[in-house]
Amino acid sequence: MKKIFTLILLSSITVYSNNDQKVVPLKKIDTPIVVDGIIDKAWDSVNEISGFFQLAPYYGKDPSKHTYAKILTTETSLYCLIVCYDDPLNIQQNTGKLDDFGGDVVSLMLDTFGDKRTAYKFAVSAAGVRADCRLLDDARNRDYNWDGIWFSDSKVYDWGYVVEIEIPYKSIQYNSNLEYWGIDIDRWIPSISEDQYWCRYEQNEGQRVSKFGKLLFEDFKPSVKGLNLEIYPTAFGKLTYLGGNKYKMDPNAGLDIFYNPSPQLTLQVTANPDFAQIEADPYDFNISRYESFFSERRPFFIQGNEIFMPSGRQRNSGFYTPLELFYSRRIGKKLPDGREVPIIFGAKAFGRYDDWEYGGFVARTPKKDFTNYDGTNASEPSAYFISGRVKKQIIGNSNVGVLFVGKQTTGNTYGVLDVDGAFRGSSWQLSYQLARSIKNSDGDYAASMGYMNFSENWATGIRTRYIGENFDVDQVGYVPWKGTFHLASFTGPIWYPKEGAVSQILIYTGPVLDYEKVDNYTDHGWLFGYNMQFRSNWGFEVNASLGKSKDLKVKYDSYQLTYSSWFSINPKWNANIWGGYTKTYNFSRDYLAFYSWAGGSFSLKASDIIRLGTSLNMWIEGNPSGNVEDITYNARPWISITPVNDLNFYLYIDNLFVKSSDKLERVFIGGLFSYQFSPKSWIYFAINEARNRFNSTRTMELSDRVSVLKIKYLYYF
């Protein structure tokens, strides 16, 4: 094997470099490549893309396994070949989703607008499993909701494995006037936790779109002709339990349309969509005075939503998060009696023009009667929801944008107008927001700002948020902290050892301020933290804070200790553990006491086709005398079976146990069969059942049972 590697390294012809930026010319051929994982003779006509760089676990060292790639194009599609050398016994071949033990994986990334901020990512595992996403904010963030039409295959040999990718130009957006696209290629080797990239990145920064190489157009430029039209007719049937052994059958149909009139513009329309949620939201335990936030899961809202996202999100950071001024779960929301407001019609448009990005959204919901928690009758009025967004790239890969979100009902107008943006360097980002709420003739202001800088030996972060007392966007957004001001910052040294088991150490400290007008007091304290990460793919973080607080006229010395850790040291399993202890005000019980929590999640690859795992959470509420008032437990075990790619059986049981009653208070069982029989064409069958212990009987009773059969087929023109 060593001799083979030596011959390959000596004979391979690498691409040339231009001012330290790698460049590869794109060659056009007339005959399409057969995408089957077999290296056709057509690939002999193009040079190798080699000279990969090891980002982890030993930064800057030569990769331990040889990798090369090749790029070709026809008039209609871009093709990529990636060849990975390794002992086949070490290659992890797993069916199922790539984010669940994806095994050995390679990725092709393309900046098709040359903006050095955004890119497409196409990932394929050694087993042929595919995944895609959009890199945003110079790769600081990911949008995994993007779902493209592209093709791939893989094949394992006695010396390694091969991946072939075909990307039809009509399935992606791009600037047809560019002389080159940004490009990078990645290989992940889980058996040794090695991450290779074709382009070189700084250890303190990680991947950056702004440092991609160039895919150079010499004799060819992509040019799409045709309808570029996707039509998705959907048929679905829902069987709902009404109580008293009675059921209701609801057959229905819907239609989704995606249309790209140009490589830089996408139109999306949905009529009578089915938004039956396959999996229930995770249980949320909340003792604060603020509403809980739940992520959006409905496809129409999450596809193409990057244009409506404010700048500055920090992936895997959580330190700074912009205000959620467009909270799409307000549209078609769940009512107090458990029913949902239907959506009659929805449409989106988004695209680019030079340095500009733009998008628009409209949805219509009808009037819906419902029963309140107290048994009284009420109705949700019919409404139009609209949103408009414009962003412009400035000063390199920085940007500034304007967002409007509105809701119109009979006699009432709600909304918010926002200006936001970000200034970026490769190792730092300064993000900002300024917003004005609209509620008929009333309104108020809100603002937020976040700064993050990870240099080679020092880390600094600052975040601040101001919410006016009358800043009310409850009809369109999620900003529950009215009449508040928040400021937090940290700074401290960071080390990246070149050898040994430890890959990173961060020690940080800084002040925290929280003002709430309802208490007319500024909580203040100091934060201390320690973060350590290891080359074997695990790490932990501990932080503590001490300060002075006031809630509901009660002043007290506050403190908090939290712990979190993550483990991916074995390709067959991963885990997370977290916990904390604090002295705080319990708004659900209306007193000051200690509060503690602990939890974890675990996932195991039981076989090549079976994965199983669970999440576990425990919340401990104290009382003013220092004793335990109650303990709440929540577990969510699950099993996923994927006998072949694109076919999956998934089952989970979500249960809630309360110590004071010494009984299960809720059990939710969900099962899903899903099969992608053609690109973006699916068959779903789901069964969901909820049982609750009602106060009147104190017995576990069936409260909800729904079965859904859904068929969605893509017509692609």
Side-chain angles (χ1 to χ4, degrees):
M1 187 64 71
K2 290 183 179 179
K3 291 182 179 179
I4 294 175
F5 284 165
T6 302
L7 290 173
I8 291 171
L9 291 171
L10 291 176
S11 61
S12 63
I13 304 173
T14 60
V15 297
Y16 56 90
S17 175
N18 181 13
N19 294 329
D20 295 327
Q21 186 175 33
K22 293 184 173 181
V23 179
V24 55
L26 180 62
K27 180 178 179 180
K28 181 177 179 295
I29 59 175
D30 297 325
T31 304
I33 298 288
V34 178
V35 179
D36 55 7
I38 299 174
I39 304 177
D40 300 333
K41 288 185 178 181
W43 289 113
D44 295 338
S45 64
V46 63
N47 293 340
E48 295 178 2
I49 301 173
S50 59
F52 277 65
F53 169 80
Q54 183 181 161
L55 185 67
Y58 294 99
Y59 177 81
K61 287 193 173 183
D62 291 336
S64 60
K65 309 294 182 182
H66 182 57
T67 309
Y68 75 84
K70 294 187 176 185
I71 301 285
L72 283 172
T73 188
T74 62
E75 192 71 30
T76 59
S77 295
L78 180 76
Y79 294 88
C80 181
L81 169 77
I82 305 176
V83 179
C84 304
Y85 286 85
D86 202 350
D87 185 333
L89 296 177
N90 296 329
I91 298 173
Q92 300 288 327
Q93 302 181 62
N94 301 327
T95 58
K97 298 186 296 183
L98 284 188
D99 55 356
D100 295 330
F101 310 106
D104 283 70
V105 179
V106 295
S107 303
L108 170 66
M109 290 149 284
L110 298 170
D111 174 9
T112 59
F113 284 93
D115 62 11
K116 301 185 185 299
R117 291 185 296 110
T118 61
Y120 292 100
K121 180 174 182 176
F122 307 89
V124 185
S125 76
V129 182
R130 304 183 316 139
D132 51 29
C133 72
R134 292 275 291 155
L135 307 183
L136 308 175
D137 295 334
D138 203 6
R140 290 176 172 87
N141 195 20
R142 304 284 193 270
D143 178 11
Y144 293 100
N145 301 312
W146 182 76
D147 187 15
I149 299 176
W150 54 286
F151 309 94
S152 66
D153 204 351
S154 65
K155 188 174 180 62
V156 177
Y157 298 86
D158 59 3
W159 46 262
Y161 70 97
V162 171
V163 166
E164 285 187 303
I165 298 172
E166 177 189 357
I167 305 168
Y169 288 118
K170 66 180 182 179
S171 67
I172 59 176
Q173 291 186 313
Y174 59 89
N175 185 342
S176 58
N177 297 320
L178 294 178
E179 299 297 327
Y180 64 87
W181 287 354
I183 183 174
D184 195 14
I185 297 166
D186 176 30
R187 178 185 178 185
W188 167 247
I189 309 172
S191 62
I192 54 176
S193 301
E194 184 167 304
D195 203 7
Q196 303 178 11
Y197 288 88
W198 181 51
C199 299
R200 183 184 180 94
Y201 303 107
E202 297 303 320
Q203 189 174 14
N204 60 296
E205 299 170 5
Q207 187 185 30
R208 289 288 179 262
V209 178
S210 55
K211 294 186 177 181
F212 276 15
K214 294 182 179 181
L215 180 62
L216 190 63
F217 304 139
E218 293 184 331
D219 302 320
F220 166 82
K221 283 187 179 182
S223 177
V224 175
K225 296 180 181 178
L227 289 177
N228 308 314
L229 177 66
E230 301 175 27
I231 300 178
Y232 302 88
T234 304
F236 47 91
K238 182 187 298 184
L239 185 66
T240 306
Y241 178 70
L242 300 178
N245 293 321
K246 295 181 180 180
Y247 291 85
K248 178 184 178 183
M249 180 65 184
D250 293 311
N252 217 323
L255 183 67
D256 294 297
I257 299 174
F258 288 81
Y259 176 46
N260 294 319
S262 77
Q264 300 183 49
L265 175 62
T266 296
L267 304 177
Q268 182 180 355
V269 177
T270 185
N272 194 33
D274 171 47
F275 288 145
Q277 193 162 301
I278 298 297
E279 185 177 355
D281 289 316
Y283 177 74
D284 181 71
F285 193 86
N286 187 351
I287 65 168
S288 77
R289 57 168 39 128
Y290 300 116
E291 172 193 6
S292 297
F293 178 87
F294 293 99
S295 300
E296 180 62 86
R297 299 185 179 200
R298 299 170 293 179
F300 174 73
F301 292 101
I302 62 179
Q303 292 176 359
N305 70 340
E306 66 174 84
I307 181 64
F308 301 99
M309 294 169 55
S311 300
R313 293 180 183 272
Q314 293 285 331
R315 183 175 60 95
N316 296 332
S317 167
F319 180 73
Y320 170 73
T321 302
L323 303 177
E324 292 282 351
L325 301 177
F326 184 15
Y327 185 34
S328 57
R329 290 190 67 140
R330 305 292 192 203
I331 307 172
K333 64 183 180 181
K334 184 170 289 189
L335 299 170
D337 59 5
R339 292 183 292 176
E340 294 179 348
V341 178
I343 297 176
I344 299 174
F345 170 83
K348 284 196 292 188
F350 47 92
R352 299 192 182 213
Y353 180 75
D354 291 337
D355 292 336
W356 294 85
E357 297 178 66
Y358 55 88
F361 169 90
V362 62
R364 173 78 165 86
T365 58
K367 179 182 177 181
K368 184 71 173 179
D369 297 326
F370 64 92
T371 303
N372 274 313
Y373 296 113
D374 59 5
T376 60
N377 295 324
S379 64
E380 178 74 15
S382 62
Y384 283 97
F385 293 85
I386 60 172
S387 180
R389 175 68 158 165
V390 177
K391 289 198 294 187
K392 188 180 190 307
Q393 185 173 350
I394 59 173
I395 315 174
N397 67 354
S398 302
N399 68 282
V400 62
V402 177
L403 170 69
F404 172 76
V405 186
K407 176 182 178 181
Q408 181 69 53
T409 64
T410 303
N412 290 291
T413 300
Y414 311 96
V416 62
L417 181 64
D418 161 74
V419 177
D420 63 80
F423 296 101
R424 299 185 181 94
S426 59
S427 63
W428 62 272
Q429 177 173 269
L430 174 64
S431 310
Y432 60 90
Q433 274 184 304
L434 176 62
R436 174 69 156 81
S437 65
I438 301 168
K439 187 175 182 181
N440 295 324
S441 59
D442 298 327
D444 206 341
Y445 292 92
S448 69
M449 186 274 289
Y451 174 78
M452 293 284 287
N453 186 358
F454 281 84
S455 66
E456 294 182 359
N457 51 28
W458 202 266
T460 302
I462 302 172
R463 70 183 182 206
T464 184
R465 181 185 69 214
Y466 164 79
I467 311 294
E469 184 179 8
N470 297 313
F471 186 82
D472 186 351
V473 295
D474 292 348
Q475 296 293 324
V476 295
Y478 174 83
V479 186
W481 317 283
K482 301 179 184 68
T484 63
F485 172 79
H486 169 81
L487 172 66
S489 65
F490 74 86
T491 189
I494 187 169
W495 294 272
Y496 300 97
K498 296 184 180 299
E499 302 289 344
V502 178
S503 61
Q504 177 183 303
I505 299 173
L506 170 64
I507 302 174
Y508 58 90
T509 185
V512 179
L513 300 175
D514 276 294
Y515 171 78
E516 293 178 293
K517 186 175 179 60
V518 66
D519 297 314
N520 194 26
Y521 186 80
T522 300
D523 297 353
H524 52 280
W526 204 267
L527 174 70
F528 306 88
Y530 182 83
N531 178 292
M532 178 178 284
Q533 300 184 36
F534 296 83
R535 287 192 169 87
S536 54
N537 266 353
W538 74 280
F540 68 89
E541 181 167 358
V542 179
N543 64 58
S545 62
L546 302 169
K548 301 283 187 178
S549 299
K550 178 183 177 183
D551 287 301
L552 297 182
K553 300 181 180 181
V554 179
K555 290 185 179 180
Y556 58 96
D557 294 328
S558 60
Y559 52 83
Q560 179 170 289
L561 177 68
T562 64
Y563 169 82
S564 63
S565 59
W566 51 96
F567 305 88
S568 296
I569 58 180
N570 190 306
K572 293 187 177 181
W573 65 271
N574 62 46
N576 291 273
I577 300 174
W578 57 84
Y581 184 89
T582 184
K583 181 179 180 182
T584 188
Y585 203 89
N586 188 327
F587 286 89
S588 66
R589 298 184 182 274
D590 195 22
Y591 56 60
L592 175 68
F594 78 86
Y595 171 62
S596 183
W597 65 96
S601 64
F602 177 79
S603 300
L604 172 69
K605 175 193 171 188
S607 71
D608 287 342
I609 67 171
I610 299 176
R611 287 121 181 112
L612 51 88
T614 189
S615 63
L616 299 165
N617 282 285
M618 176 178 67
W619 298 275
I620 305 172
E621 297 175 272
N623 58 33
S625 63
N627 298 319
V628 173
E629 180 69 24
D630 210 347
I631 306 176
T632 303
Y633 303 89
N634 176 242
R636 196 181 180 102
W638 58 266
I639 183 171
S640 176
I641 304 173
T642 310
V644 296
N645 290 338
D646 299 322
L647 190 152
N648 178 255
F649 300 89
Y650 177 70
L651 176 68
Y652 72 97
I653 303 174
D654 191 301
N655 56 82
L656 187 69
F657 181 89
V658 178
K659 177 66 176 176
S660 58
S661 66
D662 201 30
K663 290 181 174 65
L664 283 172
E665 295 293 329
R666 187 193 78 168
V667 175
F668 195 101
I669 302 173
L672 172 66
F673 164 80
S674 59
Y675 175 47
Q676 183 176 224
F677 56 91
S678 184
K680 298 179 75 170
S681 300
W682 292 86
I683 296 176
Y684 298 101
F685 178 67
I687 300 177
N688 293 324
E689 178 174 308
R691 293 181 177 269
N692 289 276
R693 192 175 302 279
F694 296 100
N695 292 329
S696 58
T697 62
R698 301 306 297 165
T699 60
M700 190 73 74
E701 296 182 7
L702 178 65
S703 60
D704 192 21
R705 179 185 289 154
V706 178
S707 299
V708 178
L709 175 64
K710 183 175 180 179
I711 302 175
K712 180 179 180 180
Y713 186 74
L714 166 65
Y715 291 94
Y716 188 42
F717 303 95

